[in-house]
Amino acid sequence: MDIIIRNLDVKSVAKLDEMAKKKGISRQEFLKNYIETLSVLDTIRENDNRYIDLVNQMAFVIKENTNVLSQIRIDFILED
């Protein structure tokens, strides 16, 4: 599918050309990659947020386990 964008600023187009050149690709390929990435950005952010939540949950569980193990250690030391 084609997308046509009209009336872009000359400086903006020059900057896009420069960015594409640095990557060794054409402006068209650069913009195609950028738009395709943009189309899935929300999904990527959502997955990142889920991952952060999971890491935080795991950190909490590890901390709780450490506390329980420390208490068990204290209980056994006191019993000896």
Side-chain angles (χ1 to χ4, degrees), residues 2-22:
D2 293 337
I3 295 176
I4 298 172
I5 301 174
R6 292 182 175 84
N7 301 319
L8 288 173
D9 180 65
V10 174
K11 291 180 183 178
S12 297
V13 175
K15 181 64 177 175
L16 290 170
D17 288 342
E18 179 185 320
M19 293 166 72
K21 186 177 180 181
K22 284 182 182 179

Side-chain angles (χ1 to χ4, degrees), residues 21-37:
K21 186 177 180 181
K22 284 182 182 179
K23 292 186 176 266
I25 57 178
S26 67
R27 179 197 316 151
Q28 195 276 333
E29 187 175 355
F30 177 81
L31 290 172
K32 178 182 175 287
N33 292 340
Y34 195 83
I35 290 170
E36 287 175 347
T37 299

Side-chain angles (χ1 to χ4, degrees), residues 43-74:
T43 302
I44 292 169
R45 284 185 182 147
E46 186 177 307
N47 286 339
D48 283 347
N49 289 336
R50 285 185 196 164
Y51 179 76
I52 289 168
D53 289 344
L54 181 59
V55 168
N56 289 334
Q57 289 173 14
M58 295 303 296
F60 176 78
V61 169
I62 290 169
K63 184 177 179 181
E64 289 296 311
N65 285 344
T66 300
N67 292 339
V68 169
L69 289 172
S70 294
Q71 188 60 47
I72 290 171
R73 183 173 176 240
I74 290 169

Side-chain angles (χ1 to χ4, degrees), residues 73-80:
R73 183 173 176 240
I74 290 169
D75 290 346
F76 278 115
I77 289 174
L78 291 176
E79 289 181 8
D80 285 343

